[in-house]
């Protein structure tokens, strides 16, 4: 099942890459025209993550502003998940240990079971993983808002499904988002090699911004 979901994930996105040394920008894009000094100029509008409002394991309100000028990795999970979530969190811990203390990188994990996963539950979950501070945020909030931003903006599968183990269905994707809130990579969060690629791509993005 997870392989099917992950295959769907990649076929569902559309990417564009104008430079072989740069990571692609994933998702649909639009073009718009405007007049500059009497000349028609075509601009490209890329798929971006919109503003959001959730609550973290620390009880704080978290919005896109918390990730201003930051690269971050997003994923979707639930604390009682009996299948892929424990594996995903072991892989994400590798990312966390690599980026810990770097002010320009963060992690944002969204629960897809907000009824059970209250801030208190998420706080204990984070503590059990050994996560401290605010660099890795676990967030909860309105169920429909979480599902909507997951499927329409992060381009992942996320939702309730009574036939799925634990009652919820989600892809095992880690989603890499740049400082402009554009999706720059998607990785199988249950796979060690994919996690290594994610870590390498975070470093590539950091270099991209250094060289601007």
């Amino acid at each position: 099942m997870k392989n099917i979901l992950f295959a769907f994930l990649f076929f569902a996105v559309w990417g564009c890459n104008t430079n072989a040394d740069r990571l692609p920008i994933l998702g649909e894009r639009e073009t718009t025209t405007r007049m500059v000094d009497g000349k028609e100029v075509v601009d490209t509008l890329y798929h971006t993550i919109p503003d959001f409002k959730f609550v973290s394991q620390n009880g704080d309100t978290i919005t896109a502003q918390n990730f201003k000028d930051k690269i971050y990795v997003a994923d979707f999970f639930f604390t009682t998940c009996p299948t892929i979530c424990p594996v995903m969190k072991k892989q994400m811990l590798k990312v966390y240990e690599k980026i810990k203390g770097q002010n320009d990188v963060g992690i944002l994990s969204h629960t897809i079971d907000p009824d059970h996963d209250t801030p208190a539950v998420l706080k204990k979950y984070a503590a059990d993983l050994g996560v401290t501070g605010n660099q890795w945020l676990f967030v909860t909030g309105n169920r429909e808002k979480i599902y909507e931003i997951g499927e329409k903006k992060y381009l992942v599968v996320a939702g309730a499904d009574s036939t799925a183990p634990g009652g919820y269905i989600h892809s095992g994707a880690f989603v890499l988002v740049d400082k402009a809130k554009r999706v720059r990579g998607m990785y199988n969060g249950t796979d060690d090699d994919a996690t290594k690629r994610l870590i390498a791509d975070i470093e590539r993005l950091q270099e991209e911004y250094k060289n601007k």
Side-chain angles (χ1 to χ4, degrees):
M1 174 62 73
K2 69 182 181 182
N3 290 333
I4 294 172
L5 291 177
F6 205 70
F8 167 80
L9 175 69
F10 278 99
F11 284 113
V13 298
W14 182 89
C16 128
N17 189 0
T18 58
N19 187 322
D21 295 328
R22 293 165 63 93
L23 293 174
I25 299 172
L26 303 181
E28 295 181 359
R29 62 176 180 170
E30 299 177 359
T31 57
T32 183
T33 58
R34 58 191 176 94
M35 298 302 293
V36 178
D37 297 330
K39 296 181 179 180
E40 190 176 84
V41 176
V42 178
D43 289 331
T44 300
L45 301 178
Y46 290 102
H47 177 96
T48 57
I49 306 301
D51 197 10
F52 50 81
K53 183 183 288 186
F54 299 120
V55 179
S56 78
Q57 74 268 32
N58 301 313
D60 302 323
T61 297
I62 303 300
T63 70
Q65 191 66 21
N66 290 85
F67 295 90
K68 179 178 171 58
D69 297 324
K70 288 187 179 183
I71 297 162
Y72 71 96
V73 182
D75 74 333
F76 291 77
F77 80 110
F78 59 110
T79 62
T80 58
C81 173
T83 54
I84 63 174
C85 296
V87 180
M88 290 172 64
K89 289 301 169 276
K90 286 181 181 179
Q91 293 297 337
M92 191 69 90
L93 274 170
K94 297 174 184 178
V95 180
Y96 175 66
E97 292 299 328
K98 187 68 176 181
I99 68 170
K100 189 184 291 186
Q102 299 181 32
N103 294 328
D104 63 333
V105 191
I107 302 172
L108 181 61
S109 291
H110 310 71
T111 178
I112 57 173
D113 184 9
D115 291 340
H116 177 270
D117 292 343
T118 63
V121 170
L122 293 177
K123 189 174 184 67
K124 183 180 185 305
Y125 187 82
D128 289 346
L129 286 172
V131 176
T132 59
N134 293 314
Q135 193 168 9
W136 185 352
L137 294 170
F138 298 79
V139 294
T140 187
N142 178 274
R143 177 189 300 272
E144 296 309 317
K145 293 292 185 184
I146 292 170
Y147 296 170
E148 179 181 20
I149 200 169
E151 295 188 347
K152 294 185 179 179
K153 301 304 178 180
Y154 288 105
L155 309 173
V156 301
V157 177
D161 185 340
S162 61
T163 66
Y168 296 88
I169 188 169
H170 65 107
S171 67
F174 292 161
V175 184
L176 179 60
V177 181
D178 69 14
K179 295 181 181 182
K181 303 298 184 287
R182 301 173 302 190
V183 177
R184 301 297 296 273
M186 309 187 87
Y187 311 82
N188 184 344
T190 66
D191 182 76
D192 190 59
D193 287 339
T195 301
K196 290 176 181 177
R197 288 195 299 273
L198 168 58
I199 291 170
D201 284 350
I202 290 172
E203 295 173 349
R204 286 176 66 187
L205 262 187
Q206 289 175 312
E207 286 299 317
E208 182 179 315
Y209 282 106
K210 285 179 183 177
N211 294 329
K212 279 191 174 182

